[in-house]
Amino acid sequence: LYAPIIAHGKPIGIIQARGNRKGQFSEVDEQMVAGMCSIVGVLRENITRSLTAINADHGREWPSISDAVVSVQAQMASAVHAQHVRLLIFEQDTGGFWTPGKEEGSYLRFPAEFPLGYVCEHKSLFHYPARGAPVSEHEAFEIRACAHRFMSKSTPVEALLLVPLMAGDTLLGVILIINKVNASGPFDASTEKVAVTLSTPWGRRLEATLRDEATKRQLLKLHLTFKKLPA
């Protein structure tokens, strides 16, 4: 009896079972081998994700917010095998979010409405489909509208995970993770663990990058002010 081991939607090996008794394997035997294959496949996925999370953070400072956004989105998408990942930066002054646009120097801004507002208030993960009390029809509409800002409106929103980026008790941003690659259904606990593992050091690095960019803006402002002064 041969059964495939599947990880990340691809075959990575097989389990071979040989019986000592005569006759064919029973349905129970097949289910047992299939269960073993499933366990091995999940273990392989978790090990791969954990190694990706550990190796992804090298402690290198991001030279700009745009570099931070590109790095976070690429590494998170690879680690959790998501179709779409976007990093939104939280503005402490306005209480809203922004992210770089497609054109250089452009920005997209978003109000802290549900479900982003939930992360602002609770500073915790947000799941869709919900694991506790089901969301209302209006909330489900708002969730889909939030996700469709970053993907085609014809694509169904099967899973959404919002991960806060924190520096201590301060919210710096939110990572939106939308839909699985080559799979359906909600994100599981192992995906959430990898996302949180990655976001913890990213929060500290994002804080340093935001502080550096704020300092650069202040220096530029002073430079322009001094240039206007009479000689």
Side-chain angles (χ1 to χ4, degrees):
L1 176 62
Y2 292 89
I5 302 172
I6 307 297
H8 307 303
K10 299 179 180 180
I12 62 169
I14 61 171
I15 288 182
Q16 179 191 56
R18 295 181 178 180
N20 292 324
R21 63 179 184 270
K22 295 182 179 180
Q24 297 180 342
F25 286 101
S26 66
E27 185 176 346
V28 174
D29 295 328
E30 294 177 2
Q31 292 176 353
M32 183 178 298
V33 174
M36 293 174 61
C37 289
S38 177
I39 292 172
V40 174
V42 170
L43 288 174
R44 173 60 182 272
E45 288 185 355
N46 290 343
I47 291 172
T48 302
R49 290 177 175 180
S50 297
L51 289 175
T52 301
I54 292 171
N55 295 330
D57 182 73
H58 302 294
R60 178 183 64 84
E61 290 189 8
W62 293 306
S64 68
I65 296 299
S66 295
D67 289 309
V69 170
V70 171
S71 177
V72 166
Q73 292 177 174
Q75 293 187 49
M76 184 64 81
S78 175
V80 302
H81 306 287
Q83 292 183 14
H84 304 277
V85 175
R86 293 300 296 261
L87 169 59
L88 305 183
I89 307 298
F90 181 65
E91 283 187 320
Q92 306 294 333
D93 296 338
T94 65
F97 292 87
W98 65 272
T99 191
K102 293 182 179 180
E103 298 181 3
E104 186 175 356
S106 65
Y107 299 92
L108 302 175
R109 296 186 178 276
F110 308 94
E113 299 174 346
F114 186 84
L116 295 173
Y118 176 94
V119 181
C120 291
E121 180 181 356
H122 299 279
K123 297 178 180 178
S124 62
L125 295 173
F126 177 84
H127 319 262
Y128 177 78
R131 292 185 175 176
V135 297
S136 66
E137 290 186 9
H138 175 71
E139 289 174 333
F141 174 82
E142 293 295 331
I143 291 169
R144 292 191 295 269
C146 178
H148 283 146
R149 290 172 177 171
F150 309 103
M151 64 182 192
S152 171
K153 292 184 179 181
S154 62
T155 303
V157 182
E158 296 184 344
L160 179 100
L161 180 63
L162 302 185
V163 183
L165 273 183
M166 307 290 297
D169 295 329
T170 303
L171 178 69
L172 300 180
V174 174
I175 304 175
L176 286 81
I177 307 174
I178 309 170
N179 289 355
K180 299 177 181 178
V181 173
N182 299 325
S184 59
F187 294 109
D188 57 21
S190 63
T191 298
E192 296 172 10
K193 185 176 181 179
V194 171
V196 172
T197 300
L198 283 170
S199 67
T200 301
W202 283 349
R204 295 191 293 269
R205 291 168 64 189
L206 182 59
E207 180 184 36
T209 303
L210 288 168
R211 183 173 58 247
D212 290 345
E213 290 224 337
T215 301
K216 292 176 183 177
R217 287 194 297 270
Q218 289 294 330
L219 290 174
L220 178 60
K221 186 177 180 180
L222 286 173
H223 175 71
L224 295 176
T225 300
F226 281 120
K227 282 186 69 176
K228 294 179 181 179
L229 294 175

